[in-house]
């Protein structure tokens, strides 16, 4: 039996991904080349870590749009902030795989329970902390909202997801 919330979420994700691809195409056509022939990026706000912004591929952009949709309640930041964060990362593909594993684990763990927005955000933060070192998880299981599976099971799901996506 197909669960309606999952079906609706999938449809919304597809529509947003399509909108994201259109946005990406329009955005890339509007860029003005610099005198060196390179692409010009938005002002990184003076942060030296953001000065070396990378160009996303259309596939990476679509994956970011999907992550943004799936994790919207757990990580309520704008799509532009998601994009800027990945563009500033030196290992975009690796970071995408990590966030995809976090998202898959989040969906699997929250599928059978109802959490408040605050609980969703806290659980997402715990998964991000787990992503730092999945072999030595430092989140205390007592922090988990009620109704979620045991922490050890969640850690196992994350490791399985990350292992299936390749980790380098």
């Amino acid at each position: 039996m197909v669960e309606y919330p999952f079906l609706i979420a999938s449809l919304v994700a597809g529509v947003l991904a399509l909108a994201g691809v259109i946005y990406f195409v329009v955005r890339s056509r509007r860029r003005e080349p610099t005198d060196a022939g390179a692409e010009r990026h938005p002002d990184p706000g003076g942060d030296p870590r953001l000065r070396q912004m990378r160009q996303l591929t259309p596939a990476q952009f679509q994956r970011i749009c999907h992550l943004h949709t799936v994790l919207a309640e757990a990580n309520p930041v704008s799509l532009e902030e998601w994009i800027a964060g990945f563009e500033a990362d030196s290992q975009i593909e690796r970071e995408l795989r990590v966030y995809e594993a976090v998202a898959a684990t989040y969906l699997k763990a929250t599928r059978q329970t109802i959490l408040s927005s605050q609980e969703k955000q806290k659980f997402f933060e715990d998964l991000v902390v787990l992503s730092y070192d999945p072999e030595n998880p430092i989140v205390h299981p007592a922090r988990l909202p009620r109704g979620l599976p045991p922490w050890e099971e969640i850690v196992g799901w994350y490791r399985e997801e990350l292992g299936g996506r390749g980790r380098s």
Side-chain angles (χ1 to χ4, degrees), residues 27-34 36-42 53 55:
R27 181 177 152 209
S28 65
R29 288 186 182 175
R30 279 202 263 167
R31 289 209 174 130
E32 301 169 16
T34 62
E39 295 284 334
R40 210 165 97 182
H41 295 282
M53 296 182 85
Q55 182 70 35

Side-chain angles (χ1 to χ4, degrees), residues 24-111:
F24 179 78
V25 169
V26 170
R27 181 177 152 209
S28 65
R29 288 186 182 175
R30 279 202 263 167
R31 289 209 174 130
E32 301 169 16
T34 62
D35 48 349
E39 295 284 334
R40 210 165 97 182
H41 295 282
D43 178 22
D47 187 338
R49 294 172 296 156
L50 298 180
R51 291 194 182 149
Q52 295 278 331
M53 296 182 85
R54 279 35 175 205
Q55 182 70 35
L56 298 172
T57 67
Q60 289 172 333
F61 184 83
Q62 188 172 15
R63 289 163 64 196
I64 293 168
C65 289
H66 182 71
L67 286 169
H68 177 259
T69 302
V70 168
L71 297 170
E73 284 188 81
N75 187 24
V77 298
S78 71
L79 178 59
E80 290 76 18
E81 290 175 275
W82 273 85
I83 293 166
F86 280 99
E87 284 181 329
D89 200 294
S90 63
Q91 297 179 357
I92 295 171
E93 196 57 40
R94 180 189 180 286
E95 196 69 10
L96 273 168
R97 287 192 303 269
V98 167
Y99 271 92
E100 287 168 339
V102 165
T105 305
Y106 173 85
L107 288 175
K108 190 171 187 176
T110 60
R111 182 178 300 146

